[in-house]
Amino acid sequence: MKILLDAMGGDNAPNSTLQGAADALREFGDGMTIALLGDPDKLRAAAKELNIDLSPFELIPCTEDIDMHDDPVKAVRHKMDSSMVKGLTMLKNGEGDAFVSAGSTGALHVGTSLIVRTVKGVKRPALATCMPGKKQPFLLLDCGANAECRAEMLNAFGTMGSVYMNRVMGRQNPSVALVNNGAEDTKGTPMYREAHGLLRRNPSIRFVGNIEPRDIMAGEVDVVVCDGFVGNVVLKLTEGVAGTLLGMLKDIFMQNLVTKVCYLGVKKGLRGLKHKMDSEEIGGAPLLGAARPVIKAHGSSKPKGIKNAIRQAKTCVENDLCGTMEAALAELNSKGDTAQ
């Protein structure tokens, strides 16, 4: 198995990507090779600084980078020798089994759609990430790929999310809900009301109606559907609130001797909570609907986030996520479903 890594993508690249790749090879690299796409001189300099041996890696030289401020469409069409475009092209040509990048979300989405393409029955891939819930983890999509959506796209997200949770996560008859500003069917913008109607009539999913943002983290629903703008706000707000609350709890316990002694009694539980809420533990979000596995890591990923994004890519390949998604959608389409 070969994982293609955009070594120049992300706020902390190439140090974070290189260290994360090295950690991935050490922890779960049996039967896996990692190809690093990027500027060889910068990668060698980072390797020297981090004391990392580059010999286990395959280096794929690239002369261009896609910046976070680049226009996604222009960047994908004109920066052909960038680490992102070159990696996606190699993936399309079968020169790798999965692609991981912490680079521009917009460019990755455009590049995936134009180069890698989507499975039959899907027009636009969606970023989907598993998030921790009180009862159980849930899948949020879209969380950043499609800022503006049509109602039929949200309907497709519901189908793809349901397939993923059933076929990959093992959830039987997963529930699907639509993020909205009220639980009533009449709430939301015209597009969201139209999407509610399509989801309600979708025979391939178990739609349970609207879900208000305050109820999302309860984990009572398996799949939470929204457009990429709302999903990205939900994702980043959740990460920020989790970090802030954990920091506030730490300040409370460090106030005096009595609170420090109390901390000893809940230390293990708080560490478990911190681990559960750490976005770096998830690593990245698969682009559901892509014809080959593409994983988007957080732009601010540190080595642990990159390592776990590679772990997720490996899991997607091992579970044949794309083949499973295509087969499941074909089965649904044959029964009259329209996941467009």
Side-chain angles (χ1 to χ4, degrees):
M1 179 192 305
K2 180 190 287 188
I3 305 298
L4 305 169
L5 176 63
D6 177 5
M8 310 310 293
D11 301 338
N12 304 307
N15 286 37
S16 62
T17 49
L18 183 54
Q19 184 65 64
D23 293 343
L25 277 184
R26 184 178 63 255
E27 293 186 28
F28 48 86
D30 289 345
M32 179 179 73
T33 60
I34 297 177
L36 303 173
L37 292 100
D39 185 323
D41 292 335
K42 291 181 180 179
L43 287 172
R44 292 189 183 99
K48 183 177 180 180
E49 179 183 341
L50 298 168
N51 194 28
I52 291 175
D53 179 12
L54 285 177
S55 60
F57 300 98
E58 180 182 347
L59 295 184
I60 309 294
C62 301
T63 60
E64 296 177 297
D65 293 333
I66 291 181
D67 187 84
M68 291 291 187
H69 302 291
D70 284 340
D71 178 84
V73 176
K74 290 181 180 179
V76 169
R77 287 179 173 170
H78 298 293
K79 292 190 173 183
M80 303 299 293
D81 201 46
S82 63
S83 52
M84 183 181 291
V85 173
K86 199 166 187 177
L88 291 171
T89 302
M90 289 179 65
L91 181 66
K92 174 194 175 184
N93 294 335
E95 299 174 69
D97 297 293
F99 180 67
V100 177
S101 177
S104 164
T105 300
L108 185 64
H109 184 244
V110 170
T112 299
S113 300
L114 295 180
I115 300 170
V116 180
R117 301 293 186 175
T118 58
V119 300
K120 186 177 180 180
V122 175
K123 290 184 178 179
R124 299 288 292 274
L127 274 174
T129 186
C130 273
M131 296 181 63
K134 182 179 179 181
K135 180 180 179 181
Q136 61 184 358
F138 62 91
L139 191 72
L140 175 71
L141 77 163
D142 186 1
C143 59
N146 303 279
E148 296 182 7
C149 293
R150 300 183 303 276
E152 57 267 28
M153 292 171 63
L154 297 188
N155 186 36
F157 298 165
T159 300
M160 289 192 293
S162 183
V163 169
Y164 180 87
M165 292 303 281
N166 175 245
R167 300 298 179 93
V168 178
M169 301 299 291
R171 302 276 178 90
Q172 298 298 315
N173 197 24
S175 56
V176 179
L178 177 67
V179 177
N180 215 318
N181 63 339
E184 299 85 359
D185 296 358
T186 56
K187 288 289 187 177
T189 63
M191 188 276 287
Y192 266 80
R193 291 197 297 272
E194 182 183 353
H196 185 282
L198 292 176
L199 287 163
R200 188 178 65 247
R201 294 189 297 273
N202 188 333
S204 67
I205 65 174
R206 181 165 67 90
F207 183 57
V208 295
N210 291 334
I211 185 169
E212 296 189 61
R214 65 186 177 194
D215 298 321
I216 290 176
M217 297 303 295
E220 296 287 345
V221 175
D222 297 299
V223 179
V224 176
V225 173
C226 55
D227 64 64
F229 180 85
V230 171
N232 199 254
V233 171
V234 170
L235 179 64
K236 291 180 177 177
L237 178 61
T238 301
E239 292 173 352
V241 169
T244 300
L245 286 177
L246 289 170
M248 293 168 67
L249 284 172
K250 182 178 178 180
D251 292 341
I252 291 172
F253 282 119
M254 293 297 106
Q255 286 181 354
N256 53 56
L257 181 60
V258 174
T259 56
K260 289 179 180 178
V261 171
C262 292
Y263 169 72
L264 295 177
V266 296
K267 182 179 180 180
K268 184 177 180 180
L270 286 176
R271 282 184 174 176
L273 178 61
K274 182 179 180 181
H275 178 83
K276 182 186 292 186
M277 300 301 295
D278 186 2
S279 62
E280 294 268 301
E281 292 292 340
I282 297 173
L287 271 166
L288 289 189
R292 304 292 298 275
V294 176
I295 306 298
K296 173 63 175 78
H298 205 299
S300 61
S301 290
K302 295 180 175 60
K304 183 169 71 170
I306 298 297
K307 177 194 72 177
N308 285 320
I310 294 171
R311 184 199 303 276
Q312 193 172 71
K314 183 181 181 183
T315 300
C316 287
V317 174
E318 291 173 339
N319 290 332
D320 189 21
L321 172 62
C322 297
T324 299
M325 180 69 67
E326 185 170 20
L329 289 173
E331 180 182 344
L332 293 174
N333 288 335
S334 69
K335 296 178 180 179
D337 178 55
T338 55
Q340 303 295 324

